[in-house]
Amino acid sequence: MLREKPHLLLAAGFFLFVSSLPGICQNADSLAAAYSRVDSLHSSVVLSRRDANYLSKGKDMRVEVISSAGLQKMACCNLAESFENSASVTVGYSDAVTGARQIRLLGLSGVYTQMLDENRPFMRGLAAPWGLGFVPGQWLESIQIAKGSPSVVNGGESMTGQINIEHRKPTDEIPLFLALNGMSDSRMILDFVSSFPLGERFYTALMGHVEGNFMTHDMNGDGFMDDPKSLQFNVSDRWLYYTPSLQVRFGIRALQDHRQGGQSGYDKVAYTFGSTAPWGSDVTNRSLGAYLKVGVPLRDDQSSSVAAIVDYTYNAVDAFFGASCLLGKQHSAFLNLLYRNQVNESHDFTVGLSATADRYDKNILRAVASQDVMLPLAPSFFVGGAYGEYTFHSGDVFTAILGARLDYYGNEGVRAVPRATLKWQPASWLVLRANGGRGLRYSDPLIDNIGVFSTGKKWSGDYDASPLEKSWTYGGNATFYLPFGQNEETSYVSFDFFRCAFSSQMVPDYEMKAGEIAFYVTPDSYTNNYQMDFSVEPIERFTLGLTARFTDAKVLLKSKGLVEKPLLPRFKGVLNLQYRTNLSRWIFDFTAALNGSARLYDFMEGDRSPLYPLLYAQVTRRFKGWDIYIGGENLTNFTQKSVIQGPRRADGSFDPSSALFDASAVWGPLMGIRLDAGIRITIWK
Amino acid sequence: MKRILLHLSLVLSFLLMAGMTSSYAYASSQKPRKEKASETLTTVTFTTNMHCRNCQKKLTENLSFMKGVKDLEVSLEKQEITLKYDSRKTGEDAFVKEINRLGYKAEKKADSAVPQKVK
């Protein structure tokens, strides 16, 4: 029997591993609402094809797509966790206390990656430190990760790439989707999505998310909670009004998230500096947002259109760290007016005007051993200008995209951001891409490095300034499609190289002086990123994906010269395996990641972190209209030892009032093994 | 030195696995497929009127769980639904009824009902 069905032998090797739902629909809500529903007719779903993570062959840039199948491969309950099985994006913690997650793309912090919500910039400013936890994974349809220097249409802020998320659509015809998940560390999550039409032209999608972590755990015995206690409420309502001559999308969103971490029993009101009362963090985020996208085709064939996109977000953060605090409010607005014209099959151009405006009201109290200051900061930023992008196609063989922006940056004056992308497909089995361009963004030293609040160290230098960071990014990709496997489009080996070099970057230097974090602009900082991806479906319904990435990241520090960036693994390998039975009734998923060593700060024990594995697994059983799954993450139970740095008191506990106290030096997992189980119910119209 | 050797061996293991899998996949693609033990399977194709990927997803999710269905292909490009089914357990009428219930047309493509094997 096994000889006749070799796949059973393989399946047996993944016993009790969790798997994912089918479905690779990807409706890109692109920049102009007039053509935002790119419901390409060029697709065929064969039930045996479930591409969870794949490189998009049709895209001009190097784009990795995490489909709905990939989003449900593991217990990925929010946007941060959805990147766990991507080798392009690394996920980690900003510190060991607040639960703030951060990503890295091309070896650089996620603040250098432009986050887009259906092509509208989001997760900026005060929303950035905790924002990855505010996007429920079950709300999403797909994620596209574009490495390099992307289109100028959405601004010039992106330096390492763009990550665009696509939500479930109002036209999904799913009156009810429910998902319930429970984890072994007491975290519980409930999601619901309801998409339905209202009449012939209106559609809406109502989404809700409730999440809570009700118990504390200290698996490594350092006296600090591994994961903060938390409670989050998140709702969103997205609308579509559609006629052949007009398309309008609008929506609103509201969020409240409260989390309490650090030592159990921390009271933000009662705590005073120097006391022996429990030290911790208490963070409350509130957010309100609304957007409007209007698209009007100017020709019947939709080859010409105008569109307007407006987005407003209000963020408020009340964050307490021991006796210090950050009380901040932010109003952000984004406007994009664009005109697109496809002259003929070869020539296409887009021109427009866009602007972002941010107004902050921040009050920061820094009450630590060697610093007691109040910082009222109320900066405002306006970046606005004009852009143009020209695309040349020579059939499907060659594409060139040339774009440029001219923006006004306040005191910095007018700056240009040029970008270019080339794609050449000389044969059906070979795709070559090259990409490059400039990136400019205003830094916010304290918010960009939120972990500095979880230390007792003195801040020095330009921590209250917001200089303009400047970079050039360029690189390329070669993808070879292989003549074997069950699916030609997902049988490939791909090689990438990207370099991102800063001529001006704000850095926090932890190694200038003991007990101090110095903020300054460095004129020399770069990352060289090499990546290989291999994907194949060797036998029916069994897919294998293998990725290896090497990062050479250096920064010029006043304290040390040009050195390797700290806490950044030089190497990462990811192996993804999935097996599905016929008609995907059972799906087994396994992901193994191997993380290389990273340079440690000189105040940490040892020079480099160890190599460590992370294993994830999931098994799903699908029925008509519902499915259940069980899974686990970090199955080898690896955690970072000595997360908290600093002296200890006589009783052996850490002394958070010390100037050497540091809870932000995180290079590895904080949580050990976690198991989870859940159910998803889909009721179709 | 030990660490370098460990890193190298891990990288080589990954490459070896990739190479072995590729070789197996390539070798498999060269061999004629062994026919499975015969079953009573019939393939039928319907043309339909999907207009977006959601339609494709909706049809896939619902038709795949129908009794007797062994395989399914839903093509948005071709506007076709191809089902392979056990004719002892279900039939074309049931598929038409279900596709209509979901809100789509179902017109059988001429000569598309092809019985494959008799058990």
Side-chain angles (χ1 to χ4, degrees), chain A residues 121 128 186-187 234 320 409 483 486 538 666:
Chain A
S186 82
R187 189 175 168 206
N234 199 344
F320 295 81
Y409 281 86
Q486 303 295 311
V666 180

Side-chain angles (χ1 to χ4, degrees), chain A residues 124-284:
Chain A
R124 301 173 62 254
L126 294 177
W130 295 278
L132 289 170
F134 299 160
V135 181
Q138 300 293 343
W139 287 11
L140 303 182
E141 191 171 79
S142 69
I143 303 172
Q144 297 101 47
I145 305 164
K147 282 163 64 168
S149 215
S151 171
V152 296
V153 171
N154 290 313
E157 279 189 343
S158 53
M159 288 162 159
T160 56
Q162 267 180 359
I163 294 177
N164 182 48
I165 62 172
E166 293 285 335
H167 280 81
R168 291 174 182 258
K169 299 292 183 273
T171 50
D172 274 356
E173 295 189 17
I174 299 176
L176 185 62
F177 169 80
L178 272 176
L180 181 62
N181 174 276
M183 300 196 86
S184 55
D185 63 349
S186 82
R187 189 175 168 206
M188 302 286 295
I189 298 162
L190 173 66
D191 287 286
F192 80 84
V193 178
S194 179
S195 302
F196 50 90
L198 291 168
E200 284 187 7
R201 302 191 194 287
F202 272 105
Y203 301 82
T204 187
L206 185 60
M207 303 180 193
H209 173 89
V210 181
E211 172 184 339
N213 191 19
F214 306 106
M215 288 171 60
T216 61
H217 301 273
D218 180 15
M219 288 181 173
N220 57 4
D222 60 6
F224 286 70
M225 288 185 257
D226 299 330
D227 215 13
K229 278 198 233 177
S230 64
L231 183 62
Q232 183 185 126
F233 298 97
N234 199 344
V235 292
S236 169
D237 195 5
R238 307 169 85 89
W239 290 77
L240 167 67
Y241 172 79
Y242 179 80
T243 72
S245 58
L246 177 69
Q247 194 177 129
V248 180
R249 290 180 187 269
F250 57 96
I252 55 172
R253 177 172 171 162
L255 163 97
Q256 175 163 302
D257 178 275
H258 175 247
R259 53 188 68 203
Q260 192 175 40
Q263 294 176 317
S264 190
Y266 168 67
D267 184 337
K268 67 183 183 192
V269 176
Y271 183 88
T272 53
F273 176 75
S275 73
T276 54
W279 182 97
S281 71
D282 190 304
V283 181
T284 303

Side-chain angles (χ1 to χ4, degrees), chain A residues 525-601:
Chain A
S525 158
Y526 65 83
T527 68
N528 293 322
N529 200 81
Y530 307 82
Q531 183 163 323
M532 181 217 76
D533 293 88
F534 170 70
S535 170
V536 70
E537 188 177 341
I539 58 174
E540 210 174 335
R541 299 188 301 275
F542 173 60
T543 55
L544 178 147
L546 185 63
T547 302
R549 188 195 72 214
F550 177 77
T551 303
D552 171 28
K554 297 258 184 354
V555 59
L556 180 64
L557 295 178
K558 287 180 183 174
S559 55
K560 288 181 147 346
L562 189 68
V563 291
E564 183 183 336
K565 278 194 182 162
L567 307 185
L568 174 65
R570 284 173 67 83
F571 168 82
K572 183 175 180 181
V574 179
L575 173 68
N576 279 303
L577 300 170
Q578 184 187 78
Y579 176 72
R580 294 168 281 109
T581 60
N582 195 26
L583 298 175
S584 299
R585 299 289 167 84
W586 287 91
I587 310 180
F588 304 89
D589 268 297
F590 175 70
T591 299
L594 185 66
N595 294 273
S597 71
R599 181 177 81 82
L600 300 178
Y601 289 121

Side-chain angles (χ1 to χ4, degrees), chain A residues 3 6 21-27 37-48 50 68 141 168-169 171-173 483-486 532 534 536-540 544 546 571 573-575 582-583 585 594 596-597 608-609 611 622-625 684-685, chain B residues 3 6-7 10-11 13-19 21-30 33-34 36-37 50-79 98 101-104:
Chain A
R3 194 181 297 172
L21 273 180
I24 57 169
C25 295
Q26 178 189 340
N27 297 321
R37 280 195 60 80
V38 184
D39 295 320
S40 168
L41 293 183
H42 304 291
S43 82
S44 172
V45 172
V46 179
L47 203 61
S48 60
R50 292 291 180 264
S68 56
E141 191 171 79
R168 291 174 182 258
K169 299 292 183 273
T171 50
D172 274 356
E173 295 189 17
F484 51 78
Q486 303 295 311
M532 181 217 76
F534 170 70
V536 70
E537 188 177 341
I539 58 174
E540 210 174 335
L544 178 147
L546 185 63
F571 168 82
V574 179
L575 173 68
N582 195 26
L583 298 175
R585 299 289 167 84
L594 185 66
S597 71
R608 302 193 70 86
S609 63
L611 203 70
R622 297 183 61 238
F623 303 91
K624 183 173 182 180
W684 289 89
K685 184 184 163 196
Chain B
R3 211 168 270 155
L6 176 63
H7 291 195
L10 285 162
V11 169
S13 304
F14 277 127
L15 291 172
L16 189 63
M17 181 182 251
T21 309
S22 305
S23 305
Y24 178 82
Y26 183 72
S28 296
S29 70
Q30 300 303 301
R33 289 186 72 168
K34 198 172 179 179
K36 293 181 183 176
M50 291 179 279
H51 57 271
C52 69
R53 288 193 188 189
N54 281 323
C55 306
Q56 189 180 40
K57 190 174 176 184
K58 185 176 175 181
L59 285 162
T60 306
E61 288 297 301
N62 285 276
L63 295 175
S64 63
F65 287 99
M66 286 187 71
K67 190 177 177 182
V69 172
K70 299 298 181 188
D71 205 351
L72 171 67
E73 178 177 349
V74 180
S75 172
L76 185 59
E77 184 179 29
K78 295 181 203 170
Q79 291 287 307
E98 180 67 2
R101 186 190 73 81
L102 292 170
Y104 304 95

